[in-house]
Amino acid sequence: MVKKNPLNKRFFRELKGDVGKYAVIFVLLVLLISEVSGYLVASTSMQRAYDESFEAYRIEDGNFTAEKKLNSGQRKRITELGVSVHDLFFTEWQTDSGLVLRIFADREEVNLVCVMEGRLPERLGEIAIDRMCAKNNHIEIGDVISGDGRSYTVTGLVALSDYSALFSDNNDTMFDAVLFGVAVVTPEDFAHFSADSLHYRYAWKYDEAPADEKEENTRSEAFIKELARITDLTGYIPRYLNQAIRFSGTDLGADRAMIEVFLYIVILILAFVFAITTSNTIARESAVIGTLRASGYTRGELVRHYLFLPLFVTLIAACIGNVLGYTILKDWNAGLYYNSYSLTTYTTRWNATAFLETTVLPIVMMLVINLVILTRKLALSPLQFLRRELKRKSKTRALPLNKRIPFFSRFRIRVILQNAGNYAVLLFGILFANFILMFGLMMPSILERYEQRLPENMLCNYQYILQLPAGAVDEEEKLEALFQMMLYERAVSTENTDAEKFSAFVLKSLPEGDYRGEDIMLYGIGENSRYVRDPLPEGAVVISSTFAEKFRIGEGDTFTLTEPYGDQRYDFTVTGVSDYEGAICVFMPKEELNARFDLGKNTFTGYLSDTPIEDIDEAYLGQVIDIDALTKVSRQLDRSLGEALSVMNAFSLVIFVTLIYLMSKTIIEKNAQSISMTKILGYTGGEIGRLYIVSTSVMVVLFVLISLPVGYHVIKTLFRVIVLSKMNGWIPYYIGFDVYVRMVWMDCLVYGLVAILEMFRIRRIPMSEALKNVE
Amino acid sequence: MFLEINGIQKSYGTGDARVDVLKGIELKVEEGEFVVLLGPSGSGKSTLLNIIGGIDTSDAGDINIRGESMGHMNEKRLTSYRRQHLGYIFQMYNLIPNLTVRENIEVGAYLSKQPLDVDELLGTLGLSEHQAKLPNQLSGGQQQRTSIGRAIVKNPDILLCDEPTGALDYQTSKEILKLIETVNRKYHNTIIMVTHNDAIRLMADRVIRLRDGIIRKDEHNTQKVAAEDLEW
C-alpha cells in the first residue's frame, strides 16, 4: 500500500491560512486563462468558419463594374474566358440619418447572404440590412428606415459573405461600419430602382479554381486585359485584393501572438510571485525543514511539497479558466470580432492548441520556474536550515549608511534592501501592468488627437479623384480613345473657382515581414498651389509627415515604390517632408509626375477644393476624400477597440493590485517578528506604518514613475508593429499628458487601498510574535 | 559494534580565526545504550551529534554504523541513512504549525517501513487527549513530547537528542526525561543525548565528558538513577 505523505494534510490548511494570497492569484489566473482560452477558441473557430465560408457561401473569385449593363453577347464572350458571370448590381441609398446603404437584390448564385436574426425580405418595402451597421446605427428588426422619398421595414439582420468588412471602396484605408452598410431587398423591389442609379457590378467565378494566389494573380491580370476589350470597366477587384472579403480573414487570430505573449508574461510574473512567497514560507519554516531533513525527508520530497500548491492552484485555475473560456468568454471574444466585422455564423470547435497553450504551458512554466527556485532554495544542508543560515554567502556585510541620514530613512533603506527580490518582481509587474494600462488609455487619446488635428491639417476640404474611362487609354483604338478623352474632359470641367487641378498616380509600397504593402498616392501639384504650400521646385519629392513617420525616412533618403499590379519599380529621393497627416502620400510637380508616368502633359486626374464641386459628371467621380473619409480609420478603431480597451484597463489594474497586494503582504509577513518587536519597544502603529509601508510606497511611486518613460517607448514600438501589420495608412503616435496623469492617479488610488489593508495587517500582528522561535 | 566513531576531527574558520571543535574523537557505542554527552558550551558536543546524525561532515575520521562507513555516503545515501536509522529531537520542537499533534507524529511514521503504532505511542507520550490540537494550543512540554513522538515513531536505531530539555522548566524537563527513559526501555533505541545539565548523566548508561574538542572522560554508570529521582 502506498503511504500518503502526512505533509499533504497541510495543503488545505495552507490554502485556508493564506487564502488572500491564493485567492488573488487564483482569480487572476482564472481571468487570464479564461480570456485567452476564449480568445483562442473564438478566433480559431471563426477562422475556420471564415475559411469554409468561401465554399459554403459561394464567394466570388472577383468582381468588376461595367460602365453599362452587359448585353448577352458580352456575357457570352466573358464566359468563354473560363468564368461564370453573376449580376451583383447595386444602388446606394442614403437614409435620413446619413447612413449610406449599398442595396443589392437578394443573391442566389454567389456571395450568399447569411441571416443572423429575423428573415430575408419577402415583399416590397422590406429590407434586410447588415447586422454590424444596424447595430452601429441602432437599427432593429421592425424599424422603418427612410430617406430620399423611400422607406423600408427592416425584416432581418444579415451578413453578406462578400462584405465581412464594410469597405465602401477597396482603396479605403479602413472599413466603415458606422456610416456605410450593405443591405438586400427582393429582386422585385430592386427592379424599381432607376437604371441610372445602378452600378453594374458583376461577380465572376473561375470554372477551374486557381491553384494558388500566384496563379490567381496571373489569371486575374490576363482576365482584366480581355475584359477591358469586351466592356468599359469602372472597377475591377479580384478576390485576393478585395479588402471587403479578405480584411477580416487576416485579422481573425492576428493578435494571437500578442495575446499569448501577454499570457506567458503574466504567468511568468505569477510564477515568480509564488516562488518568492514560497521562499518566504521556507525561510519561516526553516527549522522545521531542517528537522524534517535531519529526520530523513529527502530534498525531493520537500521540493514536491512546496511545489504542490502553486501547481494545484494553476491547474484548477486553468481548468476553470478553460471551462469559462469555452462558454462565456468565447462568446465575449467572438462578440469583439462581431463588433467589428460582419462575419457569418460560426460553430465552436474543440481546439487542442488552445488547451495546450492555456493549460499545459502555464503549468509547465509554473513548474519549471518554481522547481528551479525551490530546488536552489532547498539545496541547503539540514544544519543550515536548523541554524536558519539561509543565505548562500556566508555573511553579507551590511551596506554602510551615513549616520546623517535620519534613522527612519535608514530603516526604510534597510527594509528595501532586505526585500530586493520582492521589489524586483514588483518592478517587473508594475512595468508590465502599466504598459497595458498605457496602451488602453493611449488608443482613445491617439484617435481623439488624430480627429482633432485632421481638420486643421487637411490639404483642403474635398479631394475629388476622377476616374478615367477604360477606353480613354486604349492604345489600339486611338480614335475611340481620343473621343472618350474629350468626353471625359468636358464632363469633369468645373466652374468652381476653388477647384485646383492635380494629377495623381497610385503606386504601392514594398511588402516586408508582416507589412503587406499599401497604395501610395503620388500627387502632381501645379505651380503656386493654394492647397499644397510646400515649395515644389523641379525634381521635388515631398513626402507627407505620416509617410516619413511610418517608413522612418526623411530628407535625402531614397525609397522605392512598385506598380500595384506589375513589377516596375520606381526610386525616389526625398527632398522635403510636408506636415500633412491625412495620408501616406508624395507631392511632386505635376508636369514631372505626368511625364514620369506617361499621363500626358496636360492630364489631370482630380481636383483639390475647399468647397464642394457639384457640376462634374458623377460617372467620372472615382472617390471623394473629405473629413469623413479621412476619419474612417479613427472612427472604426474607436468603435472596434472600445470594449477591448476597457477590459485591458481593468485587467492591468487587476494585475497591478494583485502584485502590490501580494508583495506588500509578503514584506509585512517577512518582518512580522521585527514589527512585533517594535511594538514591544513602544513604537506606535503609525510609526511602524511609516517604517514598513512608506518603504513600499516609495518603491511603488518610483516604479510607477519609471514605467512612464519606459512605457512610452515600449508602446511606441508595439504601436508601430500593430499599425504596420494591421492597417494601411498611419496614425501618428501620441500620448497626451492626461494619460500619464490618469495612470499615476489610478495606480496611486489602487496602491492607497492596498496600503490601508496593509496598515490593518500591521495592527493585527501580536506582540507575542516576537517571542516565537527565538533561539 | 553498533556505532564506531574513529578519529573525528572538525574545525571552523581559517587562519587565525580557525577553531578546532573536535580533535580526534574515538568512541564506540553499543546497541540500546543510553549515552549522555556532557560538556560546557563550545566543547563540541552538538557538532559531534550533528556529525553522527549525518547533517554535518567531519574534516577527518569516519563513523561506522552497523559496519557501514558514513564517510563513503553521498548526499542521497546520507538522507537514506537518516531516514532508516535516526530520530532527532531538538531543543526547539520545530513542529509543523498547521499539522495536529497526531499528524506531526505521522510525519515521522511516514518515513518508516515499520513504524510504531501511532495510537499506542500517543498513549505512551500522554498525548492522546491532545492529538487533535495544533502546536500553538500546546504547552512547551507537550510540544516537546510531540517532537519526541515524531522522532521515535519510526522506531529509529539511534535517537539523537540535542538539549531536549533546554527550553523547559524543571518539572516539564523531568517529564521529558522520564519519557526518553521509557522509550529507551520500551523500544531499545540507542540514545545519544547532548546536554549541559550535569544531573542528567545519572540516568544514562554511559557518560562522555567533552571539553575543547576532546573526550576528557568516558564512564559507565553502574548505578543508574531513574529520571523521576533526578534533581538539579
Side-chain angles (χ1 to χ4, degrees):
Chain A
M1 200 179 88
V2 180
K3 271 200 267 186
K4 271 193 176 176
N5 189 334
L7 291 177
N8 296 352
K9 292 183 180 164
R10 298 182 75 203
F11 295 141
F12 178 69
R13 293 168 202 170
E14 173 72 19
L15 270 177
K16 206 172 133 193
D18 208 353
V19 68
K21 175 180 106 180
Y22 291 107
V24 291
I25 294 180
F26 176 77
V27 169
L28 187 56
L29 278 172
V30 168
L31 283 174
L32 182 71
I33 290 173
S34 58
E35 165 50 19
V36 177
S37 163
Y39 167 81
L40 291 175
V41 173
S43 64
T44 47
S45 299
M46 292 176 84
Q47 178 76 55
R48 187 91 72 90
Y50 170 83
D51 291 342
E52 289 170 358
S53 72
F54 288 90
E55 192 67 36
Y57 293 92
R58 285 182 250 152
I59 294 176
E60 65 184 34
D61 287 326
N63 71 62
F64 60 87
T65 310
E67 204 172 335
K68 291 178 187 152
K69 189 175 177 180
L70 296 179
N71 58 39
S72 56
Q74 287 171 313
R75 284 188 93 103
K76 187 164 178 288
R77 284 174 66 194
I78 294 170
T79 51
E80 282 167 0
L81 297 172
V83 298
S84 59
V85 181
H86 311 271
D87 293 353
L88 214 60
F89 303 163
F90 67 86
T91 186
E92 288 188 348
W93 174 60
Q94 189 163 24
T95 67
D96 290 337
S97 64
L99 167 68
V100 174
L101 279 180
R102 183 169 291 176
I103 300 176
F104 297 86
D106 187 18
R107 297 94 170 265
E108 288 179 354
E109 294 167 347
V110 289
N111 300 341
L112 301 183
V113 179
C114 173
V115 180
M116 308 294 284
E117 204 180 327
R119 62 170 175 79
L120 285 168
E122 289 167 357
R123 53 185 78 88
L124 293 179
E126 290 186 345
I127 193 167
I129 70 171
D130 177 82
R131 178 195 56 82
M132 191 68 255
C133 90
K135 185 184 171 197
N136 287 342
N137 289 279
H138 313 291
I139 299 170
E140 291 173 1
I141 294 173
D143 285 357
V144 174
I145 48 176
S146 309
D148 204 18
R150 286 173 182 268
S151 37
Y152 284 104
T153 304
V154 178
T155 61
L157 303 181
V158 295
L160 271 62
S161 52
D162 54 336
Y163 278 96
S164 55
L166 289 170
F167 278 92
S168 59
D169 188 309
N170 202 43
N171 293 316
D172 284 350
T173 308
M174 182 53 82
F175 60 94
D176 182 356
V178 182
L179 295 178
F180 173 76
V182 289
V184 288
V185 295
T186 60
E188 296 74 27
D189 208 339
F190 191 79
H192 285 86
F193 286 107
S194 66
D196 60 354
S197 72
L198 295 185
H199 296 256
Y200 295 105
R201 179 170 288 179
Y202 296 88
W204 83 81
K205 274 189 89 67
Y206 294 112
D207 294 340
E208 273 182 47
D212 51 33
E213 196 166 297
K214 195 176 173 193
E215 192 192 329
E216 203 178 351
N217 187 333
T218 316
R219 284 175 68 176
S220 154
E221 282 177 13
F223 184 56
I224 190 177
K225 282 182 188 157
E226 295 299 325
L227 204 57
R229 292 180 203 285
I230 300 170
T231 182
D232 294 335
L233 294 173
T234 57
Y236 181 84
I237 314 170
R239 184 174 78 189
Y240 68 92
L241 292 176
N242 191 340
Q243 294 207 82
I245 295 174
R246 301 300 297 265
F247 190 88
S248 58
T250 52
D251 192 34
L252 282 169
D255 300 324
R256 185 182 181 129
M258 209 193 307
I259 299 254
E260 284 168 355
V261 168
F262 175 72
L263 168 73
Y264 300 140
I265 289 177
V266 179
I267 299 275
L268 192 77
I269 293 172
L270 292 180
F272 276 105
V273 167
F274 263 132
I276 281 194
T277 52
T278 311
S279 296
N280 286 338
T281 308
I282 288 172
R284 203 172 57 234
E285 298 183 344
S286 75
V288 174
I289 294 167
T291 306
L292 293 177
R293 292 279 288 118
S295 304
Y297 271 82
T298 62
R299 185 178 300 139
E301 280 169 331
L302 294 178
V303 168
R304 284 194 293 279
H305 176 72
Y306 285 105
L307 260 182
F308 179 81
L309 279 179
L311 294 185
F312 178 73
V313 169
T314 311
L315 176 69
I316 299 297
C319 292
I320 294 176
N322 265 284
V323 170
L324 292 175
Y326 265 86
T327 51
I328 302 165
L329 270 297
K330 176 209 68 182
D331 294 335
W332 186 80
N333 277 281
L336 288 182
Y337 284 116
Y338 280 118
N339 231 358
S340 301
Y341 302 118
S342 298
L343 293 158
T344 53
T345 49
Y346 76 100
T347 318
T348 306
R349 314 282 177 112
W350 156 252
N351 187 332
T353 317
F355 176 77
L356 181 83
E357 289 174 356
T358 56
T359 308
V360 180
L361 276 179
I363 292 171
V364 169
M365 284 178 72
M366 198 60 86
L367 171 71
V368 171
I369 289 165
N370 279 278
L371 186 66
V372 170
I373 293 176
L374 293 184
T375 305
R376 235 176 101 76
K377 196 87 191 166
L378 290 166
L380 299 172
S381 72
L383 202 56
Q384 284 171 302
F385 280 112
L386 285 165
R387 292 175 179 164
R388 297 175 185 272
E389 293 171 354
L390 302 183
K391 293 264 190 259
R392 286 181 174 273
K393 288 181 192 165
S394 50
K395 291 274 185 264
T396 44
R397 288 182 60 188
L399 183 78
L401 294 174
N402 194 320
K403 285 176 191 164
R404 269 179 277 183
I405 301 172
F407 168 70
F408 265 49
S409 302
R410 270 183 283 149
F411 197 116
R412 286 185 201 116
I413 293 170
R414 299 274 177 224
V415 171
I416 290 167
L417 292 174
Q418 177 208 14
N419 295 288
N422 294 35
Y423 287 125
V425 173
L426 193 60
L427 170 64
F428 190 64
I430 287 180
L431 285 179
F432 183 68
N434 270 358
F435 292 168
I436 303 168
L437 184 62
M438 188 179 270
F439 191 86
L441 295 175
M442 165 211 76
M443 278 309 284
S445 162
I446 284 182
L447 299 178
E448 196 181 325
R449 176 179 176 269
Y450 181 73
E451 285 183 7
Q452 274 172 0
R453 277 178 59 101
L454 212 51
E456 307 157 15
N457 196 260
M458 287 169 71
L459 291 178
C460 55
N461 292 336
Y462 302 93
Q463 292 180 44
Y464 294 89
I465 313 288
L466 303 171
Q467 194 160 272
L468 220 57
V473 287
D474 193 331
E475 290 290 317
E476 290 172 18
E477 302 281 345
K478 286 195 172 166
L479 193 65
E480 168 70 13
L482 188 65
F483 179 67
Q484 288 281 358
M485 187 55 93
M486 283 169 64
L487 265 179
Y488 164 75
E489 282 181 4
R490 176 182 285 182
V492 299
S493 65
T494 177
E495 298 291 317
N496 189 323
T497 51
D498 281 343
E500 180 181 304
K501 289 176 182 172
F502 71 95
S503 53
F505 197 80
V506 175
L507 291 176
K508 196 165 179 166
S509 57
L510 303 176
E512 194 182 325
D514 280 346
Y515 173 62
R516 299 172 297 224
E518 66 193 282
D519 288 349
I520 310 276
M521 174 99 89
L522 282 76
Y523 288 85
I525 303 295
E527 285 177 23
N528 304 318
S529 168
R530 57 184 276 205
Y531 298 115
V532 179
R533 293 196 181 85
D534 299 87
L536 294 171
E538 196 180 329
V541 175
V542 174
I543 58 173
S544 61
S545 53
T546 44
F547 191 126
E549 194 175 330
K550 180 162 187 174
F551 297 101
R552 288 178 173 165
I553 55 172
E555 204 173 323
D557 293 333
T558 300
F559 62 95
T560 304
L561 300 176
T562 178
E563 283 180 333
Y565 307 115
D567 296 332
Q568 179 74 44
R569 291 187 173 200
Y570 300 89
D571 291 331
F572 301 89
T573 301
V574 180
T575 61
V577 177
S578 171
D579 182 24
Y580 175 53
E581 294 180 356
I584 295 189
C585 60
V586 180
F587 301 106
M588 297 168 67
K590 191 167 122 193
E591 281 178 13
E592 282 180 31
L593 182 121
N594 287 358
R596 190 158 185 186
F597 299 103
D598 296 328
L599 296 180
K601 194 179 174 190
N602 296 316
T603 300
F604 71 99
T605 50
Y607 288 107
L608 303 172
S609 175
D610 270 340
T611 51
I613 302 175
E614 287 159 343
D615 55 352
I616 54 177
D617 188 340
E618 283 191 14
Y620 296 100
L621 210 53
Q623 197 184 356
V624 181
I625 302 173
D626 56 9
I627 188 73
D628 278 348
L630 289 174
T631 52
K632 265 181 192 173
V633 180
S634 52
R635 219 171 34 239
Q636 186 55 46
L637 285 176
D638 195 24
R639 184 76 55 162
S640 303
L641 295 175
E643 202 172 340
L645 293 176
S646 307
V647 172
M648 281 177 84
N649 295 346
F651 209 86
S652 67
L653 289 177
V654 170
I655 294 175
F656 187 88
V657 74
T658 304
L659 287 172
I660 298 260
Y661 169 75
L662 289 173
M663 291 299 108
S664 1
K665 178 174 177 287
T666 308
I667 290 165
I668 302 288
E669 283 173 358
K670 199 169 164 181
N671 288 285
Q673 274 195 352
S674 313
I675 291 170
S676 174
M677 185 56 82
T678 50
K679 281 187 181 179
I680 291 172
L681 291 174
Y683 277 72
T684 63
E687 284 167 333
I688 298 171
R690 275 166 56 207
L691 288 174
Y692 286 93
I693 294 187
V694 171
S695 312
T696 302
S697 308
V698 167
M699 296 312 280
V700 168
V701 171
L702 180 68
F703 295 162
V704 167
L705 292 178
I706 289 173
S707 74
L708 301 181
V710 177
Y712 175 86
H713 291 287
V714 170
I715 301 293
K716 187 175 181 181
T717 310
L718 194 66
F719 180 77
R720 183 178 178 78
V721 171
I722 293 171
V723 174
L724 277 178
S725 62
K726 276 190 170 299
M727 57 177 268
N728 292 337
W730 189 254
I731 295 182
Y733 181 67
Y734 166 79
I735 294 186
F737 183 69
D738 65 308
V739 170
Y740 297 120
V741 172
R742 280 156 69 195
M743 279 176 71
V744 173
W745 183 82
M746 282 187 202
D747 287 348
C748 289
L749 180 75
V750 167
Y751 175 68
L753 296 173
V754 174
I756 291 170
L757 275 180
E758 293 313 313
M759 235 4 247
F760 282 116
R761 192 186 300 281
I762 285 179
R763 282 201 188 150
R764 283 203 305 269
I765 293 175
M767 284 194 244
S768 58
E769 181 73 29
L771 307 174
K772 277 188 194 168
N773 289 328
V774 181
E775 290 173 65
Chain B
M1 187 55 61
F2 176 68
L3 177 70
E4 284 183 58
I5 298 166
N6 302 314
I8 290 292
Q9 293 177 26
K10 178 77 179 176
S11 60
Y12 293 111
T14 52
D16 292 343
R18 180 185 160 110
V19 180
D20 292 321
V21 183
L22 296 174
K23 300 167 182 167
I25 301 289
E26 301 279 349
L27 187 66
K28 289 182 173 57
V29 179
E30 298 285 353
E31 190 163 10
E33 207 170 14
F34 185 165
V35 180
V36 162
L37 294 178
L38 265 178
S41 291
S43 60
K45 53 190 190 303
S46 284
T47 304
L48 179 61
L49 193 80
N50 289 338
I51 293 171
I52 296 170
I55 61 172
D56 203 352
T57 52
S58 59
D59 298 336
D62 193 19
I63 293 179
N64 285 285
I65 180 160
R66 292 188 194 278
E68 192 181 359
S69 165
M70 277 176 67
H72 299 111
M73 292 180 186
N74 59 16
E75 166 71 30
K76 200 174 168 185
R77 183 72 194 92
L78 269 175
T79 303
S80 170
Y81 156 75
R82 292 197 297 268
R83 198 174 181 116
Q84 288 167 23
H85 300 292
L86 298 183
Y88 249 114
I89 303 168
F90 295 98
Q91 179 178 346
M92 293 313 299
Y93 332 113
N94 298 341
L95 298 174
I96 299 173
N98 51 3
L99 290 185
T100 62
V101 166
R102 183 187 185 89
E103 288 158 356
N104 265 289
I105 292 173
E106 283 172 346
V107 167
Y110 172 76
L111 297 170
S112 170
K113 286 176 185 153
Q114 288 176 311
L116 302 179
D117 182 80
V118 175
D119 288 311
E120 189 190 326
L121 185 60
L122 280 165
T124 307
L125 296 167
L127 289 170
S128 296
E129 60 187 290
H130 303 295
Q131 60 175 299
K133 289 181 180 169
L134 291 172
N136 64 7
Q137 296 170 292
L138 302 174
S139 67
Q142 288 164 335
Q143 287 192 56
Q144 190 58 299
R145 271 191 269 162
T146 309
S147 83
I148 292 172
R150 178 178 61 189
I152 65 169
V153 68
K154 64 179 184 178
N155 202 7
D157 298 325
I158 308 172
L159 189 60
L160 302 173
C161 313
D162 193 355
E163 301 274 12
T165 58
L168 302 172
D169 60 45
Y170 175 73
Q171 274 308 329
T172 317
S173 296
K174 279 182 74 169
E175 275 177 38
I176 294 301
L177 292 172
K178 270 158 56 183
L179 194 61
I180 291 172
E181 188 179 57
T182 310
V183 164
N184 179 237
R185 199 180 315 125
K186 191 168 178 181
Y187 302 112
H188 306 293
N189 318 98
T190 303
I191 296 179
I192 302 176
M193 183 190 291
V194 163
T195 181
H196 58 258
N197 185 340
D198 198 55
I200 295 175
R201 73 186 157 83
L202 298 172
M203 63 180 282
D205 295 317
R206 192 170 164 199
V207 181
I208 312 286
R209 287 181 189 273
L210 281 167
R211 200 168 63 209
D212 296 331
I214 52 173
I215 296 175
R216 297 286 176 187
K217 212 172 201 179
D218 180 353
E219 52 191 6
H220 285 263
N221 252 344
T222 47
Q223 284 194 319
K224 281 169 70 177
V225 175
E228 193 170 351
D229 300 328
L230 293 178
E231 282 188 6
W232 64 87

